[in-house]
Amino acid sequence: MNVLLDHLPEFRDGFLGTLAITAASALLALVLGLLIAGFRVSPIPPLRAFGTAWVTVLRNTPLTLLFLVAFFVVPQILFPGTSPFALATLALGFYTSSFVCEAVRSGISTVPIGQAEAARSLGMTFSQTLRMIVLPQATRTVLPPLSSIFIALTKNSAIAGAFSVTELFNVSKLLSDKGFAIGWIFLWIALAYLVITFAISGLFRVLERRMGVAR
């Protein structure tokens, strides 16, 4: 308990840092995932090819390698001076977007094809059909896998701690380097991660119940 109380500001900053990078990466992954899922079901072949390449490359690339690219390649070529938090958010968001895309695409496939055809017969464009007809119905199916994806994102955010981003794993590393009992440090870090993941799980359960009522 003394480890927690004596270093409460460090644990607080790490907890808030993990919350911030998880939220920012989840938002980026959700936006990109929806966009790429739209590409993957698009009637335009180049967009489908781009979406397939995006998912194939990112899903089969180790996350640590994406972090290395984000921290040592991106600042040199594209955005010099970018903060470590932004670079970590890019790596996590891009990686997670490939999983979000596949979850959304699987949800889209559960919507009967006749509904999309009916929308097109009414003169709706592909984007209108996707946005107004297909995605609202697919959301009910997509919520459970999205919950697992964002919980995994929370745990994956620990990699950012190895790249000088202030979050829970970074705090545990700093305290263990100072000689504090590693067992107690890991206990408090694990409890903090449990709080975040339980909150995400609870949020998605509420969303699933609300969508269930609307069904």
Side-chain angles (χ1 to χ4, degrees), residues 47-82:
L47 290 182
R48 290 202 306 272
F50 178 84
T52 300
W54 179 283
V55 171
T56 300
V57 170
L58 290 177
R59 287 188 73 180
N60 293 284
T61 301
L63 181 54
T64 304
L65 179 58
L66 290 179
F67 267 90
L68 292 173
V69 171
F71 275 82
F72 297 108
V73 177
V74 172
Q76 298 295 327
I77 299 177
L78 298 175
F79 306 109
T82 306

Side-chain angles (χ1 to χ4, degrees), residues 88-102:
T89 299
L90 285 176
L92 280 168
F94 275 53
Y95 177 77
T96 308
S97 70
S98 62
F99 295 92
V100 172
C101 169
E102 289 300 275

Side-chain angles (χ1 to χ4, degrees), residues 148-208:
S148 299
I149 290 169
F150 289 140
I151 287 173
L153 167 62
T154 303
K155 294 181 283 188
N156 287 337
S157 68
I159 299 177
F163 292 86
S164 302
V165 177
T166 301
E167 52 81 55
L168 287 168
F169 178 77
N170 180 259
V171 171
S172 70
K173 183 176 180 296
L174 291 176
L175 294 180
S176 63
D177 288 345
K178 291 180 180 180
F180 292 97
I182 193 67
W184 285 107
I185 295 173
F186 281 166
L187 173 63
W188 294 117
I189 295 297
L191 289 175
Y193 275 113
L194 283 174
V195 169
I196 298 174
T197 55
F198 280 160
I200 294 173
S201 179
L203 172 62
F204 274 89
R205 280 199 299 270
V206 170
L207 291 175
E208 288 175 39

Side-chain angles (χ1 to χ4, degrees), residues 15-30:
F15 183 80
L16 294 177
T18 295
L19 281 179
I21 195 170
T22 298
S25 302
L27 179 60
L28 178 61
L30 187 59

